[in-house]
Amino acid sequence: MIPTNTLHIETPTLHHAALSARLGKSIYLKMECYQPVGSFKMRGIGAMCQHAVNQGKTRLVSSSGGNAGYAAAYAGNQLGVPVTVVVPDTTSETAQDRMREQNAEVIVHGNVWNDADEHARAIVAENDEAAYVHPFDHPAIWDGHATMMHEASQAMPKPDAVVVAVGGGGLLVGVLQGLHAVGWADVPVLAVETEGAASFYEAHQAGEKRRLSQITSIAKTLGALEVTPELLTWFTRHAITPVLVSDADAVDACLRFADDARVLVEPACGAALSLMYRHTEALADYDSVLMIVCGGAGVTLAQLDAWQEALL
């Protein structure tokens, strides 16, 4: 059952005729880019923020590479509580501006999300009235993200595979929870990352959590040095295939998807979408595919064009 009275909206699950014809498959798109903040983060972060305020917290403090912070800022604005978002210096000015437009205080700290996260936790430790809003590692977040699979199951036939981008792993955990909840536990998942931000790939290969030494991908919203430990519990419970693509693949997919769907998404989302463009071999065994279009608000067309030129 899909929860009511949420901050996120129900997004369409679209059968894309042109992409389906081009690939010789049935391609379905879960359009999380249509959330109020432009990404799937609204589901999980919104749920966690509501939970915190219901528990009596009067301030929200989030760490983010961009989208989680924007979702927290939006949620706080809707709930009537102040929000502080700590971001690394790699977070785009576009993303920072959108947080400020939602009346959030934005603090820039460190070079990667993990640095920003440590600072956010320190702020919360000094304020009993503040709630720490993790971008991907909390049961309320996973439950919130799982709702997209409830919606998809009501809008389409059971797919042969689901394709999802992976950063810290919160979206993937939610998708896996949702698949099991709706009776699609046997549907395999292709988990896509960019080279240089492949914390899930490294963990999956090792069978245990691995910490990257640095993030070198331009897909900074995939830039967690390690995934949530919860994701590791799914290795033996569900068929998950990690897929690595390049930054160039991700940017190319963003631009081509903009033509195909008239929607602008970040390279973090483009990583997953690249399986419909430069990496179609990954879909060879599946006749029906659900693509999670996770979105992203911290990008402009000019940025995508500049990245594409730099990556040529």
Side-chain angles (χ1 to χ4, degrees), residues 9 11-12 14 31-39 261-263 293 295:
I9 64 170
T11 59
L14 305 176
M31 300 296 285
E32 287 301 293
C33 50
Y34 290 162
Q35 289 293 343
V37 296
S39 84
R262 302 296 189 265
V263 171
V293 185

Side-chain angles (χ1 to χ4, degrees), residues 159-287:
D160 295 328
V162 175
V163 178
V164 59
V166 189
L171 173 58
L172 180 51
V173 171
V175 166
L176 292 167
Q177 285 187 185
L179 286 171
H180 283 246
V182 303
W184 289 357
D186 59 337
V187 176
V189 174
L190 304 182
V192 192
E193 296 167 292
T194 50
E195 297 161 354
S199 53
F200 174 69
Y201 178 86
E202 295 294 335
H204 193 275
Q205 291 294 102
E208 60 185 17
K209 188 165 69 171
R210 283 285 189 266
R211 184 181 177 90
L212 302 180
S213 60
Q214 61 181 332
I215 300 296
T216 58
S217 170
I218 63 168
K220 298 303 181 184
T221 49
L222 294 182
L225 294 177
E226 55 190 356
V227 296
T228 170
E230 179 68 14
L231 192 49
L232 278 63
T233 70
W234 286 94
F235 286 178
T236 58
R237 298 162 58 193
H238 200 98
I240 311 171
T241 301
V243 181
L244 287 182
V245 303
S246 70
D247 281 348
D249 295 333
V251 172
D252 174 73
C254 291
L255 291 167
R256 294 171 71 174
F257 190 70
D259 286 338
D260 285 332
R262 302 296 189 265
V263 171
L264 200 62
V265 299
E266 289 184 2
C269 179
L273 300 180
S274 70
L275 270 58
M276 298 189 295
Y277 297 108
R278 291 187 176 180
H279 290 278
T280 56
E281 71 282 355
L283 305 180
D285 294 335
Y286 312 112
D287 293 327

Side-chain angles (χ1 to χ4, degrees), residues 19-155:
L19 284 167
S20 296
R22 191 182 306 160
L23 295 170
K25 304 176 184 298
S26 290
I27 299 295
Y28 292 86
L29 308 173
K30 185 57 174 158
M31 300 296 285
E32 287 301 293
C33 50
Y34 290 162
Q35 289 293 343
V37 296
S39 84
F40 74 98
K41 289 288 188 180
M42 194 65 257
R43 293 182 186 268
I45 298 299
M48 187 174 180
C49 291
Q50 283 181 301
H51 175 75
V53 172
N54 289 340
Q55 294 298 310
K57 297 298 184 179
T58 59
R59 174 176 288 275
L60 304 172
V61 180
S62 175
S63 61
S64 176
N67 291 308
Y70 185 26
Y74 176 89
N77 214 16
Q78 295 294 307
L79 296 168
V81 296
V83 177
T84 297
V85 184
V86 187
V87 301
D89 60 16
T90 52
T91 298
S92 71
E93 287 296 329
T94 300
Q96 292 184 46
D97 288 345
R98 286 176 177 160
M99 295 175 205
R100 294 186 182 99
E101 288 167 1
Q102 293 295 328
N103 300 316
E105 174 192 23
V106 178
I107 298 173
V108 180
H109 183 88
N111 302 120
V112 295
W113 166 77
N114 297 75
D115 297 335
D117 187 59
E118 289 181 9
H119 190 63
R121 290 174 186 263
I123 293 172
V124 173
E126 298 177 355
N127 186 346
D128 292 339
E129 299 301 314
Y132 166 64
V133 181
H134 197 287
F136 56 81
D137 192 13
H138 192 278
I141 290 175
W142 308 327
D143 290 345
H145 295 334
T147 59
M148 73 178 68
M149 300 314 302
H150 289 265
E151 293 173 8
S153 71
Q154 296 173 14

